[in-house]
Coordinates of all heavy atoms in Angstrom, one line a residue:
I241 N 140.0 145.0 40.6 CA 139.2 143.8 40.4 C 138.0 143.8 41.2 O 138.0 144.0 42.5 CB 140.0 142.6 40.6 CG1 141.2 142.5 39.7 CG2 139.3 141.3 40.4 CD1 142.2 141.3 39.9
T242 N 136.8 143.5 40.7 CA 135.6 143.3 41.4 C 135.0 142.0 41.0 O 134.8 141.7 39.8 CB 134.6 144.5 41.1 OG1 135.2 145.7 41.4 CG2 133.3 144.3 42.0
V243 N 134.7 141.1 42.0 CA 134.1 139.8 41.7 C 132.6 139.8 42.2 O 132.4 140.3 43.4 CB 134.9 138.7 42.4 CG1 134.3 137.4 42.0 CG2 136.3 138.7 41.9
L244 N 131.7 139.4 41.4 CA 130.4 139.2 41.8 C 130.2 138.0 42.6 O 130.2 136.8 42.0 CB 129.4 139.3 40.6 CG 127.9 139.1 41.0 CD1 127.5 140.4 41.8 CD2 127.1 139.1 39.8
P245 N 129.9 138.0 43.9 CA 130.0 136.8 44.7 C 128.8 136.0 44.7 O 128.7 134.9 45.3 CB 130.4 137.3 46.1 CG 129.7 138.6 46.1 CD 129.7 139.2 44.7
V246 N 127.6 136.4 44.2 CA 126.5 135.6 44.4 C 125.9 135.4 43.0 O 126.0 136.3 42.0 CB 125.3 136.4 45.2 CG1 125.9 136.6 46.6 CG2 125.1 137.8 44.6
T247 N 125.1 134.2 42.8 CA 124.4 134.0 41.6 C 122.9 134.4 41.7 O 122.3 134.7 40.9 CB 124.5 132.6 41.2 OG1 124.1 131.8 42.3 CG2 125.9 132.2 40.8
S248 N 122.5 134.2 43.0 CA 121.1 134.6 43.3 C 120.9 134.5 44.7 O 121.3 133.6 45.4 CB 120.1 133.6 42.7 OG 118.7 134.0 42.9
S249 N 120.3 135.6 45.3 CA 120.1 135.6 46.7 C 119.0 134.8 47.1 O 118.1 134.3 46.4 CB 119.7 137.1 47.2 OG 120.8 138.0 46.8
G250 N 119.0 134.4 48.4 CA 117.9 133.6 49.0 C 116.6 134.4 49.1 O 116.5 135.6 48.8
R251 N 115.6 133.8 49.6 CA 114.3 134.5 49.7 C 114.1 135.1 51.1 O 113.0 135.7 51.3 CB 113.1 133.5 49.4 CG 113.1 132.9 48.0 CD 112.5 134.0 47.1 NE 113.7 134.9 46.6 CZ 113.5 136.1 46.1 NH1 112.2 136.7 45.9 NH2 114.5 136.7 45.6
D252 N 115.0 134.9 51.9 CA 115.0 135.5 53.3 C 115.5 137.0 53.2 O 116.7 137.2 53.5 CB 115.7 134.7 54.3 CG 115.6 135.2 55.7 OD1 114.6 135.9 55.9 OD2 116.3 134.9 56.6
I253 N 114.7 137.9 52.8 CA 115.0 139.3 52.6 C 114.4 140.2 53.6 O 113.3 139.8 54.2 CB 114.7 139.7 51.2 CG1 113.2 139.6 50.9 CG2 115.5 138.8 50.2 CD1 112.7 140.1 49.5
R254 N 114.8 141.4 53.8 CA 114.3 142.3 54.6 C 113.0 143.0 54.0 O 113.1 143.3 52.8 CB 115.3 143.5 55.0 CG 116.4 143.0 55.8 CD 117.4 144.1 56.0 NE 118.1 144.5 54.7 CZ 119.0 145.5 54.6 NH1 119.1 146.3 55.6 NH2 119.5 145.8 53.4
V255 N 111.9 143.0 54.8 CA 110.7 143.5 54.2 C 110.3 144.8 55.1 O 110.4 144.8 56.3 CB 109.6 142.5 54.3 CG1 108.3 143.2 53.9 CG2 109.8 141.3 53.6
S256 N 110.0 145.9 54.4 CA 109.7 147.2 55.0 C 108.2 147.6 54.8 O 107.7 147.2 53.6 CB 110.7 148.2 54.5 OG 110.3 149.5 55.1
S257 N 107.6 148.2 55.8 CA 106.3 148.8 55.5 C 106.4 150.3 55.2 O 105.3 151.0 55.1 CB 105.5 148.5 56.7 OG 105.2 147.1 56.9
D258 N 107.6 150.9 55.2 CA 107.8 152.3 54.9 C 107.3 152.6 53.4 O 107.5 151.7 52.6 CB 109.2 152.8 55.0 CG 109.7 152.6 56.6 OD1 108.8 152.5 57.4 OD2 110.8 152.6 56.8
I259 N 106.8 153.7 53.3 CA 106.3 154.1 51.9 C 107.2 155.3 51.3 O 107.6 156.2 52.1 CB 104.8 154.7 52.0 CG1 103.9 153.6 52.6 CG2 104.4 155.2 50.6 CD1 103.8 152.4 51.6
V260 N 107.6 155.1 50.1 CA 108.4 156.1 49.5 C 107.6 156.7 48.3 O 106.8 156.0 47.6 CB 109.7 155.5 48.9 CG1 110.6 155.1 50.1 CG2 109.4 154.3 48.0
S261 N 107.7 158.0 48.1 CA 106.9 158.7 47.1 C 107.6 158.5 45.8 O 108.7 158.2 45.6 CB 106.9 160.2 47.3 OG 106.4 160.9 46.3
T262 N 106.6 158.5 44.7 CA 107.1 158.5 43.3 C 107.7 159.7 42.8 O 108.3 159.9 41.7 CB 106.0 158.0 42.4 OG1 105.1 159.0 42.3 CG2 105.4 156.7 42.9
G263 N 107.5 160.8 43.5 CA 107.8 162.2 43.0 C 106.7 162.9 42.1 O 106.9 164.0 41.7
V264 N 105.7 162.1 41.9 CA 104.5 162.6 41.1 C 103.3 162.5 42.0 O 102.8 161.5 42.3 CB 104.2 161.9 39.9 CG1 103.1 162.4 39.0 CG2 105.5 161.8 39.0
P265 N 102.9 163.7 42.7 CA 101.8 163.7 43.6 C 100.5 163.0 43.1 O 99.9 162.2 43.9 CB 101.6 165.1 44.0 CG 103.0 165.8 43.7 CD 103.4 165.1 42.5
D266 N 100.2 163.3 41.9 CA 98.9 162.7 41.4 C 99.1 161.1 41.3 O 98.0 160.5 41.5 CB 98.6 163.3 40.0 CG 98.3 164.8 40.0 OD1 97.8 165.2 41.1 OD2 98.5 165.4 39.0
L267 N 100.3 160.7 40.9 CA 100.4 159.1 40.9 C 100.5 158.6 42.3 O 99.9 157.6 42.5 CB 101.8 158.9 40.2 CG 102.2 157.4 40.0 CD1 101.0 156.6 39.3 CD2 103.4 157.2 39.4
D268 N 101.0 159.3 43.3 CA 100.9 158.9 44.7 C 99.5 158.7 45.1 O 99.1 157.7 45.8 CB 101.7 159.9 45.6 CG 103.2 159.7 45.4 OD1 103.7 158.8 44.9 OD2 103.9 160.8 45.8
R269 N 98.7 159.5 44.7 CA 97.2 159.5 45.1 C 96.5 158.4 44.4 O 95.4 157.9 44.9 CB 96.6 160.9 44.8 CG 96.9 161.9 45.8 CD 96.0 163.2 45.5 NE 96.4 163.9 44.4 CZ 97.2 164.9 44.4 NH1 97.8 165.2 45.5 NH2 97.6 165.5 43.3
M270 N 97.0 157.8 43.4 CA 96.4 156.6 42.7 C 96.7 155.3 43.5 O 96.1 154.4 43.4 CB 96.9 156.3 41.3 CG 96.4 157.5 40.3 SD 97.0 157.1 38.6 CE 96.1 155.6 38.3
L271 N 97.7 155.4 44.4 CA 98.2 154.3 45.3 C 97.6 154.6 46.7 O 97.9 155.7 47.3 CB 99.7 154.2 45.4 CG 100.3 154.1 43.9 CD1 101.8 154.4 44.0 CD2 100.1 152.6 43.4
R272 N 96.9 153.7 47.3 CA 96.1 154.1 48.4 C 97.1 154.4 49.6 O 96.6 155.1 50.5 CB 95.3 152.8 48.8 CG 94.2 152.6 47.9 CD 93.1 153.6 47.8 NE 92.0 153.4 46.9 CZ 92.0 153.9 45.7 NH1 92.8 154.8 45.3 NH2 90.9 153.7 44.9
K273 N 98.3 154.0 49.6 CA 99.1 154.3 50.8 C 100.0 155.5 50.4 O 100.9 155.9 51.2 CB 100.0 153.1 51.1 CG 99.2 152.0 51.7 CD 100.2 150.9 52.2 CE 99.3 149.7 52.8 NZ 98.8 150.2 54.1

Side-chain angles (χ1 to χ4, degrees):
I241 298 178
T242 302
V243 181
L244 182 63
V246 293
T247 54
S248 183
S249 299
R251 292 290 84 198
D252 186 16
I253 60 176
R254 292 177 291 173
V255 177
S256 174
S257 297
D258 294 341
I259 300 298
V260 293
S261 171
T262 65
V264 181
D266 294 330
L267 180 56
D268 287 342
R269 283 188 284 271
M270 292 184 69
L271 306 164
R272 293 296 181 255
K273 292 185 178 291

